[in-house]
Amino acid sequence: MKKVVLIFVSVLMLGVYLSSCKPSDQQLQTAVETALKAVPGLPGGIVSQVSEGVATLTGVVETDEAKAAIETVVKAVKGLKSVTNNIQVVPPVVINPDDTLMSTIKAAFTAAGFDKVVTAVQDGVVTLTGEAKRTDLEKIMQIANEASPKQVLNQLTLK
């Protein structure tokens, strides 16, 4: 019986010792944040949260390569069980130059028969004036938005 108690106590002490060697979530969080600060060109807004040894990453980057690089850096932090990468990849919005917007939209409006729609473009903002049928409005707005402007202002008179 004494041997059983001695073995039980020994195993219990070993468990306490081994569990106390693991870094805490706070220590891991600090290590992850330090690792992220070392990533060159890291976009702002990348957030990490460590819970029970698992690092969860959230935020937005422009490329899959950036997402993978961040994950690789965090996976290198010793003591983490795993990394959950919930970072979203959202490519940058490309806004066409004014002359491209104007020529693209005018050509599309002419091809669709929207001759009474007048287009003006300044600093990436397309302003639509003139007249159009109410039933054509959705198609007109679709054409204007497909040209990749910063904004489309609808000032059309609908008939």
Side-chain angles (χ1 to χ4, degrees):
M1 182 68 173
K2 286 183 181 182
K3 285 185 179 182
V4 172
V5 171
L6 182 60
I7 292 172
F8 177 74
V9 170
S10 296
V11 170
L12 182 63
M13 294 297 286
L14 181 62
V16 169
Y17 173 74
L18 291 177
S19 68
S20 67
C21 293
K22 294 180 189 175
S24 70
D25 284 345
Q26 183 57 46
Q27 290 169 323
L28 290 170
Q29 179 70 40
T30 301
V32 168
E33 288 171 358
T34 301
L36 287 173
K37 287 178 185 174
V39 176
L42 178 72
I46 299 299
V47 178
S48 64
Q49 178 67 43
V50 177
S51 178
E52 297 182 21
V54 177
T56 301
L57 304 172
T58 57
V60 177
V61 295
E62 293 181 353
T63 65
D64 288 320
E65 292 80 13
K67 178 179 177 176
I70 293 167
E71 182 175 345
T72 299
V73 166
V74 173
K75 280 184 174 179
V77 173
K78 292 185 180 181
L80 285 176
K81 292 178 184 175
S82 64
V83 176
T84 302
N85 191 345
N86 292 334
I87 294 174
Q88 295 179 337
V89 177
V90 179
V93 176
V94 176
I95 297 172
N96 282 321
D98 288 356
D99 57 339
T100 302
L101 289 170
M102 181 64 96
S103 62
T104 302
I105 294 171
K106 276 191 166 193
F109 282 170
T110 300
F114 301 135
D115 298 329
K116 293 184 178 181
V117 177
V118 179
T119 306
V121 181
Q122 184 173 356
D123 298 325
V125 177
V126 174
T127 303
L128 303 176
T129 57
E131 295 180 358
K133 294 179 186 175
R134 186 174 302 279
T135 56
D136 293 335
L137 181 60
E138 185 177 340
K139 181 67 176 169
I140 291 169
M141 294 302 290
Q142 179 183 358
I143 290 171
N145 281 305
E146 285 176 351
S148 297
K150 186 184 306 180
Q151 182 180 10
V152 177
L153 299 176
N154 176 7
Q155 297 177 352
L156 292 166
T157 302
L158 299 177
K159 302 246 176 183

